[in-house]
Amino acid sequence: MLPFCAALTQIREKHKLNPPPRLRNPTWLTKKNRVIHDEFITQENTEFIKEVVRDQRNEVEKKLAEKEIVSNAIQWTPNLRRTGVIARKIGIYPLWLKNGEKISTTLLQVLDNHVIKYYPPGEHKPLRRRVRKINNEKGCLLLGAESADPTTFTKEYCGIFKHSGVIPKKYLARFFVSSDGILPPGTPISVMHYQVGNSIDVRGKTIDRGFQGVMKRHGFSGMPASHGVTKTHRRGGNIGGGGEKARVWPGTKMPGYMGNRYKTVRGLKIWRINTKYNVLWVSGQGIPGETNSIVTIYDTVLPLRKPIEPVPFPTYLMKEDDDFPENIYDKEVHIFNDPSIIYKE
């Protein structure tokens, strides 16, 4: 009788409030990296293979540079949605405003982003089952960043880039776009996709900190160090009497796993842009992820921080005669090459 009762025991609150990122197979269902076998290739053959790959890569980059990207020149409106970019978090750096205030910023380097493929609304299948109906369905652009040696990837993974004419990329990301924001495969996206003074949303995976207590996970102050405290210095203490509920409320702050979750920080202002190295200076230090981690950047969805002036739509297409300064600053940022004190006669 006991085993039968144990099988019918009800387990309450099986769902998790913040589940960890699950490994979901992408739409192409291909394995990315391949096992490197020692096939007894001589050093001369290895150098020959590298030379062939290098020549093919230079030829593809030359074709992409000569390719004329034809895009619909449409005036941007707040209702239109354009693509985002893939970037790398490279560190933090302070900036000073003209009023003397010091602010902290995070440096995000936009990698060599290229459009790989476009999925129409009918062909795109979401990884999660949608419960509610979506009236205004959008297609999505598949973007790749950071070109790599094709010999390190599987044949199926390299087949994704076959029709785009782009060298296989290390990182891929999907961005939902409006019907007017479609870009042809092979279109490069640079840091000029964004403008100084606009706000963006950044999504990344937080640092994996493992199982932590309440003081590190939730910021509890803990118990006193002495005066009668015995072995409860870093414990959470009482979580409330039983009473009528006779259970633990879902979401109670208790020890548990910390980090390794996808988080999105919204409404971050762009203070500075470096066009030489494709770097964005973004406000704040709370961007999720460790140094050199990959993040995705979107146009902000906050209604009060959307751009007032039109932005490049669907993206900024670089031209040969474009001449940009190496650094573009916001009007509130103090430039140290300019004088800070001006004497009037």
Side-chain angles (χ1 to χ4, degrees), residues 120 306-307:
K306 288 190 176 182

Side-chain angles (χ1 to χ4, degrees), residues 220-251:
F220 284 18
S221 58
M223 300 290 184
S226 61
H227 295 286
V229 178
T230 304
K231 297 183 180 181
T232 57
H233 307 285
R234 298 183 63 88
R235 294 200 175 189
N238 186 16
I239 63 171
E244 185 179 354
K245 63 183 181 67
R247 63 189 178 94
V248 179
W249 287 103

